[in-house]
């Protein structure tokens, strides 16, 4: 048997099932890679105390990583919500001592329901310890702006310059996601000398909880399956666009993207891709 590629997510558990670990594992399953998880924190708001983030200990994080490594091993890894400086430093140490080929760092900072998913003092650790070890980082416009010391980002040209400048932090590749632009959803991939824009139609829905998690999980899965970064990002954008097109909600709260959409409806969105050498 041809065994599926092995993919680990180090991220937070999102109790509602739309984002975080839950979105990652659903995406991995849809794309036929073997998913594993290290849970850094449990996110779920207590109705009386209002506490929303329930962090796991560094010991629990090390234990999960060691078990998955021993039982299975890893071809690719993604990080999502890491929350604290301590967890970022531990994650960077675990990655530095491994020989995992593809490392996708989604610099998650704030959730769709305004949950704070990264402490303020953790941003420097992210920039100095983890991002330099990564194959690709996948910030949205807010995260890219914060990583660039609060630089305002408003246009596709701003995103291109942001991608070029974020490359100086040390990742092999940078994907800045323009989901918050007005007009089409345009993302920018910088590969060192090539700048690529990826354009999908804007889908008129508020139900995009976990879209960023799902997108970066799909990139990780496609890299694990041996795709180039360019192809992995194009296929992943098609996957998430289709999932957003078929998104829904069970309540009056922001709902999930539909992870099974590409499988169920048998079609994936065309992405308009343009590359330029700089
Ligand atoms: O969508 C960002 C995100 C990531 N990770 C976890 C989350 C959320 C949003 O709520 O809960 C665990």
């Amino acid at each position: 048997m041809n065994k599926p590629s092995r993919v680990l997510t180090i991220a937070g558990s999102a109790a509602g099932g739309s984002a975080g670990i839950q979105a990652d594992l659903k995406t991995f399953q849809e794309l036929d890679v073997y998913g594993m998880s290290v849970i850094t924190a449990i996110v779920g708001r207590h109705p009386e105390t209002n506490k929303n983030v329930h962090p796991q200990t560094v010991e629990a994080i090390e234990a999960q990583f060691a078990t998955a490594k021993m039982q299975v091993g890893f071809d690719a890894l993604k990080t999502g919500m890491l929350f604290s400086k301590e967890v970022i430093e531990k994650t960077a140490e675990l990655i530095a001592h491994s020989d995992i080929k593809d490392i996708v760092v989604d610099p998650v900072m704030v959730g769709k329901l305004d949950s704070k998913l990264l402490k303020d003092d953790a941003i420097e650790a992210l920039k100095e310890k983890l991002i330099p070890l990564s194959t690709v980082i996948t910030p949205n416009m807010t995260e890219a702006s914060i990583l660039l010391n609060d630089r305002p980002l408003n246009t596709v040209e701003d995103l291109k310059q942001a991608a070029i400048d974020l490359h100086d932090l040390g990742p092999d590749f940078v994907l800045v996601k323009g989901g918050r632009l007005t007009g089409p959803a345009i993302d920018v991939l910088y590969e060192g000398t090539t700048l690529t824009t990826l354009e999908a139609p804007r889908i008129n829905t508020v139900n995009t909880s976990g879209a960023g998690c799902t997108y970066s999980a799909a990139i990780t899965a496609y890299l694990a399956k041996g795709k180039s970064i360019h192809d992995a990002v194009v296929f992943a954008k098609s996957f998430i666009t289709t999932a957003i097109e078929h998104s829904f909600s069970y309540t009056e709260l922001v709902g999930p993207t539909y992870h099974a959409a590409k499988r169920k409806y048998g079609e994936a969105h065309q992405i308009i891709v343009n590359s330029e050498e700089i």
Side-chain angles (χ1 to χ4, degrees), residues 12-14 19-20 43 81 108 110-112 115 117 210 213:
S13 165
V43 178
M81 172 191 181
V108 171
V110 186
K112 288 264 155 41
S115 326
L117 304 176
C213 310

Side-chain angles (χ1 to χ4, degrees), residues 249-268:
S249 181
Y250 293 104
T251 63
E252 69 286 353
L253 297 175
V254 169
T257 71
Y258 190 29
H259 298 96
K262 178 169 170 276
R263 165 166 56 91
K264 187 149 176 190
Y265 299 104
E267 60 183 47

Side-chain angles (χ1 to χ4, degrees), residues 20-118:
I21 292 279
Q22 286 76 4
D24 292 345
L25 291 178
K26 290 173 191 184
T27 303
F28 295 159
Q29 188 64 23
E30 289 299 328
L31 296 177
D32 190 25
V33 294
Y34 184 87
M36 294 161 280
S37 60
V38 169
I39 298 179
T40 57
I42 294 172
V43 178
R45 196 170 294 282
H46 191 281
E48 276 123 41
T49 66
N50 212 34
K51 184 172 161 146
N52 188 37
V53 174
H54 311 269
Q56 301 300 292
T57 59
V58 167
E59 185 189 12
I61 290 166
E62 283 182 299
Q64 295 171 84
F65 187 90
T67 300
K69 185 176 176 185
M70 187 172 58
Q71 202 180 333
V72 179
F74 316 123
D75 297 306
L77 175 154
K78 79 158 264 194
T79 66
M81 172 191 181
L82 298 175
F83 193 55
S84 70
K85 185 166 170 278
E86 292 71 31
V87 174
I88 290 170
E89 286 171 355
K90 178 52 69 183
T91 302
E93 184 191 314
L94 292 169
I95 291 172
H97 290 106
S98 74
D99 56 0
I100 308 169
K101 201 162 59 57
D102 298 302
I103 310 286
V104 177
V105 171
D106 188 10
V108 171
M109 296 181 191
V110 186
K112 288 264 155 41
L113 300 171
D114 270 348
S115 326
K116 194 166 172 56
L117 304 176
L118 187 69

Side-chain angles (χ1 to χ4, degrees), residues 223-240:
L223 288 174
K225 286 154 82 95
K227 299 279 183 219
S228 66
I229 185 69
H230 178 97
D231 287 354
V233 170
V234 174
F235 286 129
K237 185 160 173 80
S238 175
F239 181 90
I240 184 57

